[in-house]
Amino acid sequence: MYTPSTKETAILLIHCPDQKGILAAVTQFLNENKGNIIYLDQNVDRAESIFFMRVEWELDLFAIPKEKIAEYFETLFAKKFNLQFTLHFSNERPRMALFVSKMSHCMFDILARYMAAEWVVDIPVIVSNHNDLKPIAERFGIEFYCFPKNGANKEEQEIKEITLLKEKKIDLIVLGRYMQVLSDKFVSNFPNQIINIHHSFLPAFAGAKPYHAAHERGVKIIGATSHYVTADLDAGPIIAQDVVRISHVDSIESLVRKGRDLEKIVLSEAVYKHLQRKILVFNNRTIIFN
Amino acid sequence: MYTPSTKETAILLIHCPDQKGILAAVTQFLNENKGNIIYLDQNVDRAESIFFMRVEWELDLFAIPKEKIAEYFETLFAKKFNLQFTLHFSNERPRMALFVSKMSHCMFDILARYMAAEWVVDIPVIVSNHNDLKPIAERFGIEFYCFPKNGANKEEQEIKEITLLKEKKIDLIVLGRYMQVLSDKFVSNFPNQIINIHHSFLPAFAGAKPYHAAHERGVKIIGATSHYVTADLDAGPIIAQDVVRISHVDSIESLVRKGRDLEKIVLSEAVYKHLQRKILVFNNRTIIFN
Amino acid sequence: MYTPSTKETAILLIHCPDQKGILAAVTQFLNENKGNIIYLDQNVDRAESIFFMRVEWELDLFAIPKEKIAEYFETLFAKKFNLQFTLHFSNERPRMALFVSKMSHCMFDILARYMAAEWVVDIPVIVSNHNDLKPIAERFGIEFYCFPKNGANKEEQEIKEITLLKEKKIDLIVLGRYMQVLSDKFVSNFPNQIINIHHSFLPAFAGAKPYHAAHERGVKIIGATSHYVTADLDAGPIIAQDVVRISHVDSIESLVRKGRDLEKIVLSEAVYKHLQRKILVFNNRTIIFN
Amino acid sequence: MYTPSTKETAILLIHCPDQKGILAAVTQFLNENKGNIIYLDQNVDRAESIFFMRVEWELDLFAIPKEKIAEYFETLFAKKFNLQFTLHFSNERPRMALFVSKMSHCMFDILARYMAAEWVVDIPVIVSNHNDLKPIAERFGIEFYCFPKNGANKEEQEIKEITLLKEKKIDLIVLGRYMQVLSDKFVSNFPNQIINIHHSFLPAFAGAKPYHAAHERGVKIIGATSHYVTADLDAGPIIAQDVVRISHVDSIESLVRKGRDLEKIVLSEAVYKHLQRKILVFNNRTIIFN
């Protein structure tokens, strides 16, 4: 159970080979240095013998200066436990770019949460391959860039996109039904920093037109899947999935309609977990902390 | 399976005591008069022996003039079968008023669908008891009226609201987390025309602070319920419900966060069904056609 | 809403190209001949323009003798409407053979329903490729036949099985986690009469070891699928599916445990629908009537 | 992620006021004494500032003799941390009594798991107020006792039941649709040792005939709830809940049929969690460890 602290906190995500004493060592270290732990979730993958942990503590009384924490962890734990960690601070606001095409439902869902300050994030820029949703971006006062793509110009357009994203210091890209496949080169610039929503229950119906395929196959349940984008299409680490029952009375249009609600909720859930630093990626799978 | 016609259609919702021949009589009547049926769903409540039907047909070749259809049904079927019906036409656009307080999630969800033309509806006015969401209404170019309420002025404010709603020819009121109880008098002006979202799985946790009550009781699933508003608080005909699993790790804040997604989706689903003329109310229960 | 009649009923499943008058014609025919309709469900696939219907009526006052009904439908409707139908009578008890291997959960679930007379069915025989579950069959007083299979003897064992099934007048075969693929020849003897449970959310993870594959892929939801068996492995018409949420804390053993509950419920649901004559197969998909 | 150890283990369930160092202290103590931890799950209720933990470790190399462990925890931790704990050992087989009336679905589901050795439990006795299910108990070779109850003899029959249960050393009573309310006196003999299944989504429709009430209210989802029995009817700590969608086409009979599947699965899930020592009761709520 978790209540955000009003104080600045540090968040540590750890994984290492499972071994005696790792949990005691880390918690004792934080306690001894007056770091008030406000969140701790850990578990062990017994099959592969890997220890995973997320711990968050308040910095106001913490004996070690914020900028030295990573160094201390490196020295004290990383080598000893063969441990890998990432460190975040609660006052860092992630900077998100939202990529869209012509459908607005994911865009509206994300912007609604943004406007309501549900999320700790900045969204300085919306990118699209079409101009259709530009008026909505303007309505929300967010810069909108259009990079139309065709077979010939994809590489040069992606270079412009990457330039823009770097310039805007973007560290999270959310594809809200962006109907273009990103190149490996693009993806490699943002490892575990691009979240996509696929409109099927992956790995079923990967690729194009999943609702048509679902209708053709006669499934009784459809789904949506949010995942980190990797070089393999629709094969990156899954973050969240949800499903809805359908029946023979549902036409393809009806699947599309029902699917929209799944898509936007599942995508936003994944973004929320990412922004909360609750996701750890390991072996193309995700550990989603509570 | 249903694909909207591009032609104007008539929609008939019927209920009557179950009896031989009613289904054949109605479908034969439509066929003989060249009404091309594009939707038919019917069922019988065997326990109470009531027949329910929704039928929709194209008007372009229909032999009976649009303005005479009700009269024909009255004459041919209403008395003979002791049948009650409502008749709608697809080119009537319902006019919705959206009532909100301070929370924006239902409002955004509805306006997003409105902007994307997912729904056949006009939303000429948003009403609130606070001014907090006025900027969002303005962003979407919709008139916003604020009628602040306290113990003393409720009756006079409701009179102003009713006047406004009548003036705007409103025939559907959607309460998107509007945190005021409407008086019986107000409700009686709009029978089966007010849709509310209650943030619990009714009849559990009716009334105030359902998430607090759910947490206190230690339930493992929370829900949301959309229903028509009647004089009995939270006791009107239920239109749609959905649930999400929770656990002991969820704080009240976490229930509120998870509940928001349920609330907006369940409310919008109910509004959609209403706009589609897919709901028939009988004995404080709803028949929701496919 | 459906309450079984205490009288003998006829059940008719129909599909034909959609056309005016078919619904009126059939219901009028039943009414005129004093067939009291106790169930009627119909729908139209608008995309493919196919009409589907299930109608059930009481025979006690029906003017047409039971053994002549099929002939009348053939004459009156089949040619005129290019209609295909199957006709069942409520006093026919289907005869089921249950195929199992070593896991008992589906077997117990089916036998429990059988013992409690939840289903209208006879189960004269249980078939297996192992003897492990023989004691349970004996406990329930059901004949148990073991046909062990290996690479070499499959064909001859299947011939023995078919002989037994024909001798026992079996018209429904239920594979309750039977871990053998049936040959095309076997399957062709029982078209739409063999129901299998696959332990995944098809079409995801078809084939062997779906829980291992689901764990490897890192999905957040697992499922089970019941379907009619066709010559294509795991590709027959889907009858029912259900899912359950999992997380990174679930080991493969845990998926297997959670999956067992899905498997037995989904399989039994499919068998129930089949026994109720509520399933119509068309184009490798199922229409499941209410 | 949890794989049962082949070695004997100790299982400790702890709760205490949240405080620095408790997690480190316990894990360090186990590590120092060579207790190989194979499971650890903990969380803090931030609102009430309570720390909860379940830890399990192998005993083969553990320095402290099995029979001394409780004493050590009492001395080292209980006073210091104001901590309450329960201690279990994996080689203790709980002894369950199953109470039933006339419906067999929960009974079959439990006995099927028992026969398949899914659970670590002994079920030496089945108790009922009717003789209807006696033949099934005999089929499974389990002693069956019938204590018929009426308004007059309830107290004396309960005394006989308690005597039997004490004699059989029963430490878990499972009410598998046992249609009698147990007296406070009976319940007080088995605190947090009686698991009931209620056939509604509690707190909705507590008391008698919940399916009738659900149908009358017109809900769109029904549920089942397993809980520990306390003196307040249907108000004990909830262990597990599940739901299924229904619609206006479902009759009461249909709700009963769909509900049966929920009831048996939800009850068995609760029993499984209890047998795994994964449940901690606090303030009339349950913490269900992973």
Side-chain angles (χ1 to χ4, degrees):
Chain A
M1 211 170 292
Y2 173 69
T3 313
S5 176
T6 54
K7 301 170 182 167
E8 192 186 353
T9 61
I11 298 158
L12 192 68
L13 292 161
I14 290 174
H15 66 90
C16 63
D18 187 35
Q19 56 209 292
K20 281 193 207 334
I22 169 75
L23 181 58
V26 173
T27 56
Q28 208 169 347
F29 169 77
L30 295 176
N31 286 331
E32 282 171 358
N33 290 288
K34 300 190 192 307
N36 185 34
I37 296 175
I38 61 159
Y39 176 99
L40 189 152
D41 191 15
Q42 55 75 47
N43 71 84
V44 176
D45 181 331
R46 304 273 161 206
E48 308 196 29
S49 228
I50 310 288
F51 173 84
F52 301 101
M53 181 162 82
R54 182 189 187 278
V55 61
E56 181 172 356
W57 69 97
E58 293 173 338
L59 289 175
D60 57 339
L61 302 176
F62 195 50
I64 298 165
K66 189 176 158 180
E67 61 281 1
K68 292 280 185 186
I69 296 174
E71 191 185 315
Y72 269 72
F73 264 88
E74 191 62 42
T75 311
L76 292 172
F77 301 108
K79 276 166 208 165
K80 181 173 174 194
F81 291 110
N82 189 19
L83 169 157
Q84 286 181 274
F85 68 89
T86 54
L87 182 66
H88 301 281
F89 298 101
S90 62
N91 68 346
E92 300 162 353
R93 275 181 97 77
R95 292 174 63 80
M96 180 200 302
L98 177 58
F99 277 51
V100 296
S101 287
K102 295 183 171 183
M103 279 171 287
S104 62
H105 57 291
C106 290
M107 177 180 183
F108 266 120
D109 197 73
I110 286 170
L111 296 183
R113 294 171 201 266
Y114 182 43
M115 298 298 287
E118 276 186 39
W119 292 348
V120 178
V121 69
D122 287 324
I123 308 182
V125 58
I126 294 173
V127 171
S128 184
N129 55 333
H130 296 285
N131 268 312
D132 301 55
L133 300 181
K134 189 175 184 183
I136 300 176
E138 288 171 348
R139 212 173 275 246
F140 284 88
I142 301 175
E143 287 182 29
F144 183 93
Y145 293 83
C146 184
F147 300 100
K149 290 181 184 175
N150 54 45
N153 72 351
K154 184 172 169 175
E155 191 174 350
E156 73 183 283
Q157 294 293 65
E158 282 197 348
I159 289 169
K160 287 184 204 163
E161 289 169 340
I162 293 169
T163 305
L164 174 69
L165 297 170
K166 297 293 183 190
E167 181 193 311
K168 297 285 183 186
K169 299 184 195 311
I170 295 303
D171 50 23
L172 174 63
I173 297 166
V174 174
L175 309 182
R177 296 300 311 277
Y178 179 66
M179 305 301 278
Q180 291 285 326
V181 176
L182 300 172
S183 73
D184 291 4
K185 194 180 151 194
F186 186 108
V187 171
S188 67
N189 273 273
F190 302 96
N192 294 335
Q193 291 179 301
I194 309 174
I195 297 178
N196 184 41
I197 181 70
H198 185 73
H199 42 313
S200 84
F201 183 87
L202 286 176
F205 310 124
K209 293 202 174 279
Y211 293 126
H212 288 73
H215 187 263
E216 175 68 22
R217 181 63 188 90
V219 291
K220 300 302 184 186
I221 292 175
I222 56 168
T225 304
S226 57
H227 61 93
Y228 286 117
V229 175
T230 58
D232 287 336
L233 186 65
D234 298 331
I238 291 172
I239 304 170
Q241 300 188 290
D242 203 0
V243 295
V244 66
R245 288 193 175 277
I246 60 165
S247 80
H248 61 275
V249 304
D250 286 294
S251 60
I252 292 173
E253 292 72 32
S254 163
L255 301 192
V256 169
R257 184 185 78 81
K258 292 182 175 178
R260 273 196 301 261
D261 284 358
L262 285 182
E263 294 161 22
K264 72 184 188 187
I265 297 295
V266 170
L267 177 59
S268 288
E269 182 65 17
V271 173
Y272 174 77
K273 288 292 187 184
H274 181 98
L275 296 177
Q276 292 269 312
R277 319 296 194 184
K278 292 277 181 78
I279 311 178
L280 195 158
V281 175
F282 182 77
N283 266 3
N284 205 46
R285 295 196 293 264
T286 59
I287 284 81
I288 311 284
F289 292 101
N290 273 329
Chain B
M1 212 170 289
Y2 174 70
T3 313
S5 176
T6 54
K7 301 170 184 167
E8 190 185 354
T9 60
I11 298 157
L12 192 69
L13 293 160
I14 290 174
H15 67 91
C16 64
D18 187 33
Q19 55 210 290
K20 280 194 208 334
I22 170 74
L23 181 58
V26 173
T27 56
Q28 207 169 346
F29 169 76
L30 295 176
N31 286 331
E32 283 171 359
N33 289 288
K34 301 190 190 307
N36 185 34
I37 296 174
I38 62 161
Y39 176 99
L40 190 152
D41 191 15
Q42 54 77 47
N43 72 85
V44 176
D45 181 331
R46 304 273 161 207
E48 309 196 28
S49 227
I50 310 289
F51 173 85
F52 301 100
M53 181 162 84
R54 183 190 187 278
V55 61
E56 182 171 356
W57 68 96
E58 293 172 339
L59 289 174
D60 57 339
L61 302 176
F62 195 50
I64 298 165
K66 187 177 158 181
E67 59 283 2
K68 291 281 186 186
I69 297 174
E71 192 185 314
Y72 268 72
F73 264 88
E74 191 61 41
T75 310
L76 291 172
F77 301 107
K79 276 165 207 164
K80 183 174 172 192
F81 292 111
N82 190 18
L83 167 157
Q84 287 180 274
F85 69 89
T86 53
L87 182 66
H88 301 280
F89 297 100
S90 62
N91 68 346
E92 300 162 354
R93 276 180 96 79
R95 290 174 65 80
M96 180 200 303
L98 177 57
F99 277 51
V100 297
S101 287
K102 294 184 171 181
M103 279 171 287
S104 62
H105 57 291
C106 290
M107 179 180 181
F108 265 120
D109 197 72
I110 286 169
L111 296 183
R113 293 171 202 266
Y114 182 43
M115 299 299 286
E118 277 186 38
W119 291 348
V120 177
V121 68
D122 287 324
I123 308 181
V125 57
I126 294 172
V127 172
S128 185
N129 55 333
H130 296 284
N131 269 311
D132 301 55
L133 301 182
K134 190 175 184 181
I136 299 176
E138 288 171 348
R139 211 174 275 248
F140 284 89
I142 300 176
E143 287 182 26
F144 183 93
Y145 294 83
C146 184
F147 300 100
K149 290 180 183 175
N150 55 45
N153 72 353
K154 182 171 169 174
E155 192 174 349
E156 73 184 281
Q157 293 294 64
E158 283 198 349
I159 289 169
K160 287 184 204 161
E161 288 169 340
I162 292 170
T163 305
L164 173 69
L165 298 170
K166 297 293 182 189
E167 183 193 310
K168 297 285 183 186
K169 298 185 196 313
I170 295 303
D171 51 22
L172 175 61
I173 297 166
V174 175
L175 309 181
R177 296 300 311 277
Y178 179 66
M179 305 300 277
Q180 291 284 324
V181 177
L182 299 172
S183 73
D184 291 4
K185 194 181 151 192
F186 186 108
V187 171
S188 67
N189 274 272
F190 302 96
N192 294 334
Q193 291 179 300
I194 310 174
I195 298 178
N196 183 43
I197 180 72
H198 184 74
H199 42 313
S200 84
F201 183 87
L202 286 176
F205 311 123
K209 293 202 172 279
Y211 293 126
H212 288 73
H215 187 263
E216 173 69 22
R217 180 63 187 90
V219 292
K220 300 302 184 186
I221 292 176
I222 57 169
T225 304
S226 57
H227 61 93
Y228 286 118
V229 175
T230 59
D232 288 337
L233 186 66
D234 298 333
I238 291 171
I239 304 170
Q241 300 188 291
D242 203 359
V243 295
V244 66
R245 289 193 175 276
I246 59 166
S247 80
H248 61 275
V249 304
D250 285 295
S251 61
I252 291 172
E253 292 72 30
S254 164
L255 301 192
V256 169
R257 184 185 79 79
K258 292 182 175 178
R260 272 197 301 261
D261 283 358
L262 285 181
E263 295 162 20
K264 71 185 189 188
I265 297 295
V266 170
L267 177 59
S268 288
E269 181 65 15
V271 173
Y272 174 77
K273 289 292 187 183
H274 181 97
L275 296 177
Q276 292 269 311
R277 318 298 193 184
K278 292 277 181 79
I279 311 179
L280 195 159
V281 175
F282 182 76
N283 266 4
N284 206 46
R285 295 196 292 263
T286 60
I287 285 81
I288 310 284
F289 292 101
N290 272 330
Chain C
M1 210 169 290
Y2 173 71
T3 312
S5 176
T6 54
K7 300 169 183 168
E8 191 185 353
T9 61
I11 298 157
L12 192 68
L13 293 160
I14 290 174
H15 66 90
C16 63
D18 188 33
Q19 55 210 293
K20 281 193 207 336
I22 169 75
L23 182 57
V26 173
T27 57
Q28 207 169 349
F29 169 77
L30 296 176
N31 286 330
E32 283 171 358
N33 289 288
K34 301 191 190 308
N36 185 35
I37 296 175
I38 61 160
Y39 176 100
L40 190 152
D41 191 15
Q42 55 77 46
N43 72 85
V44 176
D45 182 329
R46 303 273 161 207
E48 308 195 31
S49 227
I50 310 288
F51 173 85
F52 300 101
M53 181 161 84
R54 182 189 187 278
V55 61
E56 181 171 356
W57 69 97
E58 293 172 339
L59 289 175
D60 56 340
L61 303 175
F62 196 50
I64 297 165
K66 188 177 158 181
E67 60 282 1
K68 291 281 185 185
I69 296 173
E71 192 185 314
Y72 269 71
F73 264 89
E74 191 62 41
T75 310
L76 292 171
F77 300 109
K79 276 164 207 165
K80 183 173 172 192
F81 292 110
N82 191 17
L83 169 156
Q84 286 181 274
F85 69 89
T86 53
L87 182 66
H88 301 280
F89 298 101
S90 62
N91 68 346
E92 300 162 353
R93 277 182 96 79
R95 291 175 64 80
M96 180 200 302
L98 177 57
F99 277 51
V100 297
S101 287
K102 294 183 171 181
M103 278 171 287
S104 62
H105 56 292
C106 290
M107 178 179 181
F108 266 121
D109 197 73
I110 286 169
L111 295 183
R113 294 172 202 267
Y114 182 43
M115 298 299 286
E118 276 186 39
W119 292 347
V120 177
V121 69
D122 287 324
I123 307 182
V125 58
I126 294 172
V127 172
S128 184
N129 56 332
H130 296 283
N131 269 312
D132 301 55
L133 300 181
K134 190 175 184 182
I136 300 176
E138 289 171 347
R139 213 174 275 248
F140 284 88
I142 300 175
E143 287 182 27
F144 183 92
Y145 293 83
C146 183
F147 300 99
K149 290 180 184 176
N150 54 45
N153 72 351
K154 183 172 171 176
E155 193 174 348
E156 73 184 282
Q157 293 293 64
E158 282 197 348
I159 289 169
K160 287 184 203 161
E161 288 168 339
I162 293 170
T163 306
L164 173 69
L165 297 170
K166 297 293 182 190
E167 182 192 311
K168 298 284 183 185
K169 298 184 195 313
I170 295 303
D171 49 23
L172 174 62
I173 297 165
V174 175
L175 309 182
R177 298 298 313 278
Y178 180 65
M179 305 301 277
Q180 291 285 324
V181 177
L182 300 172
S183 73
D184 291 4
K185 194 180 151 194
F186 186 108
V187 171
S188 66
N189 273 274
F190 302 96
N192 294 334
Q193 291 179 301
I194 310 173
I195 298 178
N196 184 41
I197 181 71
H198 184 73
H199 41 315
S200 84
F201 184 87
L202 286 176
F205 309 124
K209 293 202 174 275
Y211 293 126
H212 288 72
H215 187 264
E216 174 68 22
R217 181 61 187 92
V219 292
K220 299 301 184 186
I221 291 176
I222 56 168
T225 303
S226 58
H227 62 92
Y228 286 117
V229 175
T230 58
D232 288 335
L233 186 66
D234 297 333
I238 291 171
I239 304 170
Q241 299 188 293
D242 203 0
V243 296
V244 66
R245 289 193 175 278
I246 59 165
S247 81
H248 62 275
V249 304
D250 285 294
S251 60
I252 291 173
E253 291 72 30
S254 163
L255 301 192
V256 169
R257 184 185 79 81
K258 292 181 175 179
R260 273 197 301 260
D261 284 358
L262 285 181
E263 294 160 21
K264 72 184 188 187
I265 298 295
V266 169
L267 177 59
S268 288
E269 181 66 16
V271 173
Y272 174 77
K273 290 291 187 183
H274 180 97
L275 297 176
Q276 292 270 309
R277 318 297 193 184
K278 293 276 182 79
I279 311 178
L280 195 159
V281 175
F282 182 76
N283 267 2
N284 206 46
R285 295 197 291 264
T286 59
I287 284 82
I288 310 284
F289 293 100
N290 272 328
Chain D
M1 210 169 292
Y2 174 70
T3 313
S5 176
T6 53
K7 301 170 183 168
E8 191 185 355
T9 61
I11 298 158
L12 192 69
L13 292 160
I14 289 175
H15 67 90
C16 64
D18 188 34
Q19 55 211 290
K20 280 195 208 331
I22 170 75
L23 181 57
V26 173
T27 56
Q28 207 169 346
F29 169 76
L30 295 176
N31 286 331
E32 282 171 358
N33 289 287
K34 300 190 191 307
N36 184 33
I37 296 174
I38 62 160
Y39 176 98
L40 189 152
D41 191 14
Q42 55 77 45
N43 71 85
V44 176
D45 181 330
R46 303 274 162 207
E48 308 196 28
S49 229
I50 310 289
F51 173 85
F52 300 101
M53 181 161 83
R54 182 189 187 279
V55 61
E56 181 170 355
W57 68 97
E58 293 172 339
L59 289 175
D60 56 340
L61 302 176
F62 195 50
I64 298 165
K66 188 177 158 180
E67 60 282 1
K68 291 281 186 187
I69 296 175
E71 191 186 314
Y72 269 72
F73 264 90
E74 191 62 42
T75 310
L76 291 172
F77 300 108
K79 276 166 208 165
K80 181 173 174 195
F81 292 110
N82 190 19
L83 169 157
Q84 287 181 274
F85 69 88
T86 53
L87 182 65
H88 301 280
F89 298 101
S90 62
N91 68 346
E92 300 162 353
R93 273 180 99 78
R95 291 175 63 80
M96 180 199 303
L98 177 58
F99 277 51
V100 296
S101 286
K102 294 183 171 183
M103 279 171 288
S104 63
H105 56 292
C106 290
M107 178 178 181
F108 266 120
D109 197 73
I110 287 169
L111 296 184
R113 295 172 201 267
Y114 181 43
M115 299 298 287
E118 278 186 38
W119 291 347
V120 178
V121 68
D122 286 324
I123 308 182
V125 57
I126 294 173
V127 172
S128 184
N129 55 333
H130 296 284
N131 269 310
D132 300 56
L133 300 182
K134 189 175 183 182
I136 300 176
E138 289 171 348
R139 212 174 276 245
F140 284 88
I142 300 176
E143 287 182 27
F144 183 93
Y145 293 83
C146 184
F147 300 100
K149 290 181 184 176
N150 53 46
N153 72 352
K154 184 172 169 174
E155 192 174 349
E156 73 184 282
Q157 293 293 64
E158 282 198 347
I159 289 169
K160 287 184 204 163
E161 288 169 340
I162 293 170
T163 305
L164 173 69
L165 297 169
K166 297 294 182 189
E167 183 192 310
K168 297 286 184 185
K169 299 186 195 310
I170 295 303
D171 50 22
L172 174 63
I173 297 165
V174 175
L175 309 182
R177 297 301 311 278
Y178 179 66
M179 306 301 276
Q180 292 285 325
V181 177
L182 299 173
S183 72
D184 291 4
K185 194 181 151 193
F186 186 107
V187 171
S188 66
N189 273 273
F190 302 95
N192 294 334
Q193 291 179 302
I194 309 174
I195 297 178
N196 184 41
I197 181 71
H198 184 72
H199 41 313
S200 85
F201 183 87
L202 287 176
F205 310 124
K209 292 200 173 280
Y211 293 126
H212 288 73
H215 187 262
E216 174 68 22
R217 180 64 187 92
V219 292
K220 300 302 184 185
I221 291 176
I222 56 168
T225 304
S226 57
H227 62 93
Y228 285 118
V229 175
T230 58
D232 288 336
L233 186 65
D234 298 333
I238 292 171
I239 305 170
Q241 299 188 291
D242 202 359
V243 296
V244 67
R245 289 193 174 277
I246 59 166
S247 80
H248 61 276
V249 304
D250 286 294
S251 61
I252 292 172
E253 292 71 32
S254 163
L255 302 192
V256 169
R257 184 185 78 81
K258 292 182 176 179
R260 273 196 301 261
D261 284 358
L262 285 181
E263 294 161 20
K264 71 184 188 187
I265 298 296
V266 170
L267 177 59
S268 288
E269 181 65 16
V271 173
Y272 175 76
K273 288 292 188 184
H274 181 97
L275 296 177
Q276 292 270 311
R277 318 296 192 186
K278 292 277 181 79
I279 311 178
L280 194 158
V281 175
F282 182 76
N283 267 4
N284 206 47
R285 294 196 293 263
T286 59
I287 285 81
I288 310 284
F289 293 100
N290 273 328

